[in-house]
């Protein structure tokens, strides 16, 4: 990607110029040095590991470039832009620093050591059985989709003018079977693998993908749509290199879709329609600074979430609350018919409060969790990426896509411990060998 010294010099120069511009911009807003210094430090760290990893792997999408987005958001969160933000406690600042340090350390260890894989005790399926299994999952998803739409009373995608659609979707009671709907975000990538293996014809792949896309589009979940795009992008690039211009074009399209869906979810009232997207979100997020659309999103979906994490940690320390691994065990405990609020008290829930991924490791094992779990996240993510890069098997297409999703969503909550992610791993392990 960067194979000539003068190209590297130009990129570094451009980044430094951009850094100086950003520092000047935020100083002009009245940001103090207590805000600017950590922002600048995290900004430089994010840029350093991004440039380093792109040079090292010759790939734009790798664990470090993805995680650098979270590092930047963490630094950006020190700038008090929204009235919802507060100054962080020193415990929380230490959690941020240690989490970043040991995620990077885990990734570096995986870079320098041999690539490993977990042994599968399941017999490999034939191509036809693999297709039959995935079609069974696909049909189950359609069945659950019909049940939930019937419960809701209408197809959400055909009621975009209704400002209450997204609220009603959230209030619509669902069961664990809803995971068969969410799995439609990765099924197209698996169908694409079967198409490349000549088990499916191209028109069959397109038809199945169109149905999957229609199902997930009805739930307006940007997270699931992000996973759909990532998995398809990774599946396509496994077989064919994507030109840089096309890659950035895809990124722009994804960003536009993300913003448009956000506006649709925001409602269609006269007030929201009379305002620009940026003004509407700034008003919604209590943002007091003259932010552009990117800074607004970084504040609303990043900095505010980190502030929520600070509150959760403060409550846990005040109450001396430790879960002793319950959050890490979420994929197993989710399927047990017990009161989840008793296991995961809402007061400490990074999932309902969007407290970022930082909180769960601390709640599980305090500082040992912060160090150990972040090291494991970095280690396993980098190992999966290396297996994908070495083309050690098509199985790693979906596995690496799931790690991409978990890292990309670090500023929201800890998807490393979510049941549906483990569920997708299992389906992928059964279907793709």
């Amino acid at each position: 990607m960067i194979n000539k010294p003068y190209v590297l010099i130009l990129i570094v120069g451009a980044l430094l110029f951009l850094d100086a511009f950003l520092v000047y911009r935020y100083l002009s807003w009245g940001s103090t040095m207590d805000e600017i210094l950590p922002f600048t430090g995290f900004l430089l760290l994010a840029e350093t590991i991004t440039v380093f990893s792109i040079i090292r792997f010759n790939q734009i999408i790798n664990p470090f470039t993805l995680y650098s987005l979270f590092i930047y958001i963490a630094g950006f969160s020190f700038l008090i832009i929204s009235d919802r933000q507060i100054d962080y406690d020193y415990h929380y600042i230490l959690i941020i620093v240690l989490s970043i340090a040991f995620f990077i350390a885990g990734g570096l260890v995986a870079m320098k050591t041999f690539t490993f894989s977990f042994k599968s005790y399941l017999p490999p399926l034939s191509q036809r059985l693999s297709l039959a299994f995935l079609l069974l999952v696909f049909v189950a998803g359609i069945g659950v989709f019909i049940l939930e739409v019937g419960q809701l009373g209408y197809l959400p995608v055909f009621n975009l003018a209704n400002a209450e659609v997204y609220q009603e979707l959230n209030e619509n009671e669902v069961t664990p079977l809803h995971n068969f709907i969410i799995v439609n975000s990765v099924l197209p990538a698996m169908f694409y693998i079967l198409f490349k293996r000549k088990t499916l014809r191209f028109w069959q792949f397109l038809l199945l993908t169109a149905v999957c896309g229609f199902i997930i589009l009805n739930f307006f979940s940007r997270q699931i749509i992000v996973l759909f795009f990532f998995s398809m992008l990774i599946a396509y690039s496994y077989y064919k290199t994507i030109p840089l211009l096309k890659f950035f074009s895809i990124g722009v399209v994804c960003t536009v879709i993300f913003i448009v869906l956000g506006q649709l979810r925001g409602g269609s009232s006269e007030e929201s329609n009379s305002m620009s997207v940026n003004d509407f979100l700034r008003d919604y997020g209590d943002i007091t600074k003259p932010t552009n659309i990117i800074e607004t999103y970084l504040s609303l979906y990043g900095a505010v979430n980190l502030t929520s994490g600070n509150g959760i940690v403060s409550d846990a320390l005040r109450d001396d609350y430790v879960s002793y691994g319950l959050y890490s065990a979420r994929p197993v405990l989710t399927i047990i018919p017990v009161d989840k609020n008793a296991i995961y008290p809402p007061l400490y829930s990074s999932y309902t409060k969007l407290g970022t991924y930082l909180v769960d490791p601390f709640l599980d094992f305090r500082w040992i969790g912060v160090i150990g779990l972040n090291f494991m996240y970095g280690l396993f993510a980098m190992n999966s990426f290396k297996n994908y890069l070495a083309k050690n098997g098509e199985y790693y297409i979906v596995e690496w896509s799931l790690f991409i999703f978990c890292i990309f969503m670090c500023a929201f909550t800890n998807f490393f411990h979510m049941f549906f992610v483990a569920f997708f791993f299992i389906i992928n392990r059964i279907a793709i060998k």
Side-chain angles (χ1 to χ4, degrees):
M1 193 71 64
I2 301 175
N3 53 10
K4 295 182 179 179
Y6 69 84
V7 176
L8 177 60
I9 293 172
L10 287 174
I11 291 175
V12 172
L15 289 174
L16 291 175
F17 177 80
L18 178 61
D19 296 346
F21 169 79
L22 290 175
V23 169
Y24 175 79
R25 175 176 171 80
Y26 300 138
L27 282 172
S28 70
W29 288 359
S31 299
T32 65
M33 292 308 295
D34 288 339
E35 299 172 40
I36 292 295
L37 288 177
F39 164 73
T40 305
F42 283 105
L43 170 62
L44 292 174
L45 176 61
E47 291 171 346
T48 299
I49 70 166
T50 295
V51 174
F52 162 75
S53 60
I54 292 177
I55 294 173
R56 173 64 176 78
F57 296 114
N58 202 33
Q59 294 280 332
I60 293 178
I61 298 180
N62 65 70
F64 284 161
T65 56
L66 291 164
Y67 193 67
S68 68
L69 176 61
F70 174 76
I71 297 174
Y72 178 77
I73 292 173
F76 187 84
S77 72
F78 281 87
L79 303 172
I80 305 300
I81 292 176
S82 168
D83 287 341
R84 299 183 188 179
Q85 293 177 254
I86 60 172
D87 292 328
Y88 297 146
D89 300 331
Y90 75 92
H91 288 98
Y92 192 60
I93 294 175
L94 187 56
I95 289 173
I96 295 174
V97 172
L98 289 177
S99 298
I100 291 173
F102 281 92
F103 184 98
I104 294 173
L108 290 173
V109 168
M111 281 177 56
K112 300 297 183 181
T113 56
F114 62 90
T115 302
F116 60 87
S117 59
F118 293 101
K119 182 179 179 181
S120 175
Y121 293 95
L122 299 172
L125 300 180
S126 67
Q127 298 302 315
R128 288 189 175 183
L129 282 178
S130 177
L131 175 59
F133 171 73
L134 290 179
L135 288 177
L136 180 63
V137 174
F138 173 73
V139 171
I142 293 176
V144 177
F145 173 70
I146 293 172
L147 289 175
E148 291 193 8
V149 167
Q151 184 178 348
L152 188 64
Y154 58 85
L155 275 170
V157 77
F158 293 147
N159 287 267
L160 296 181
N162 182 359
E164 304 299 326
V165 168
Y166 185 66
Q167 180 180 348
E168 291 177 5
L169 281 170
N170 284 334
E171 294 174 352
N172 194 33
E173 187 175 351
V174 298
T175 68
L177 291 176
H178 185 73
N179 289 292
F180 282 101
I181 290 179
I182 304 176
V183 79
N184 281 276
S185 59
V186 295
L187 279 179
M190 297 184 185
F191 289 138
Y192 187 74
I193 293 171
L194 296 184
F195 159 67
K196 298 302 288 187
R197 290 178 174 180
K198 302 188 184 306
T199 307
L200 279 175
R201 294 180 180 178
F202 186 64
W203 70 266
Q204 293 171 324
F205 158 71
L206 288 179
L207 179 61
L208 291 168
T209 299
V211 175
C212 290
F214 178 77
I215 289 175
I216 61 176
L217 185 61
N218 271 275
F219 292 90
F220 301 130
S221 172
R222 287 177 291 182
Q223 299 167 2
I224 302 308
I225 292 175
V226 163
L227 178 55
F228 167 79
F229 274 112
F230 273 138
S231 61
M232 284 305 301
L233 181 67
I234 294 304
Y236 182 82
S237 62
Y238 184 86
Y239 302 99
K240 187 176 181 180
T241 302
I242 300 177
L244 189 60
L245 182 59
K246 182 181 289 188
F247 178 85
F248 280 115
S249 299
I250 293 171
V252 170
V253 170
C254 292
T255 302
V256 171
I257 291 175
F258 188 89
I259 293 173
V260 169
L261 283 175
Q263 183 70 353
L264 290 174
R265 284 168 39 159
S268 58
S269 64
E270 285 188 19
E271 181 181 0
S272 64
N273 283 335
S274 64
M275 304 168 69
S276 69
V277 175
N278 190 34
D279 289 339
F280 174 76
L281 291 174
R282 286 178 64 236
D283 184 63
Y284 174 77
D286 298 324
I287 296 171
T288 56
K289 306 295 184 181
T291 55
N292 57 41
I293 186 66
I294 295 176
E295 292 164 334
T296 300
Y297 269 102
L298 288 173
S299 176
L300 185 58
Y301 295 106
V304 171
N305 293 349
L306 278 146
T307 295
S308 297
N310 182 85
I312 296 171
V313 169
S314 296
D315 290 338
L317 287 170
R318 180 197 63 209
D319 302 335
D320 198 27
Y321 174 78
V322 185
S323 71
Y324 299 106
L326 290 177
Y327 292 90
S328 296
R330 189 191 297 269
V332 176
L333 297 176
T334 296
I335 60 178
I336 299 176
V338 294
D339 182 8
K340 300 303 186 296
N341 286 334
I343 299 177
Y344 305 110
L347 182 62
Y348 315 114
S349 176
S350 67
Y351 179 70
T352 56
K353 293 186 175 183
L354 294 181
T356 80
Y357 95 105
L358 298 169
V359 174
D360 287 1
F362 182 78
L363 295 181
D364 269 347
F365 307 108
R366 286 293 192 268
W367 301 108
I368 293 175
V370 172
I371 293 171
L373 288 175
N374 275 281
F375 183 86
M376 299 303 288
Y377 298 153
L379 181 77
F380 288 127
M382 184 62 73
N383 180 75
S384 180
F385 171 68
K386 287 174 62 180
N387 275 309
Y388 169 83
L389 201 60
K391 299 192 186 313
N392 288 336
E394 291 156 314
Y395 163 81
Y396 293 103
I397 291 173
V398 173
E399 182 185 276
W400 169 227
S401 299
L402 291 171
F403 274 111
I404 289 176
F405 175 75
C406 292
I407 299 171
F408 186 77
M409 301 302 295
C410 277
F412 290 83
T413 191
N414 196 326
F415 282 97
F416 291 104
H417 298 169
M418 286 296 168
F419 169 76
F420 80 84
V421 173
F423 180 58
F424 294 178
F425 270 116
I426 293 170
I427 291 177
N428 186 44
R429 174 66 74 174
I430 294 173
I432 308 296
K433 294 292 183 182

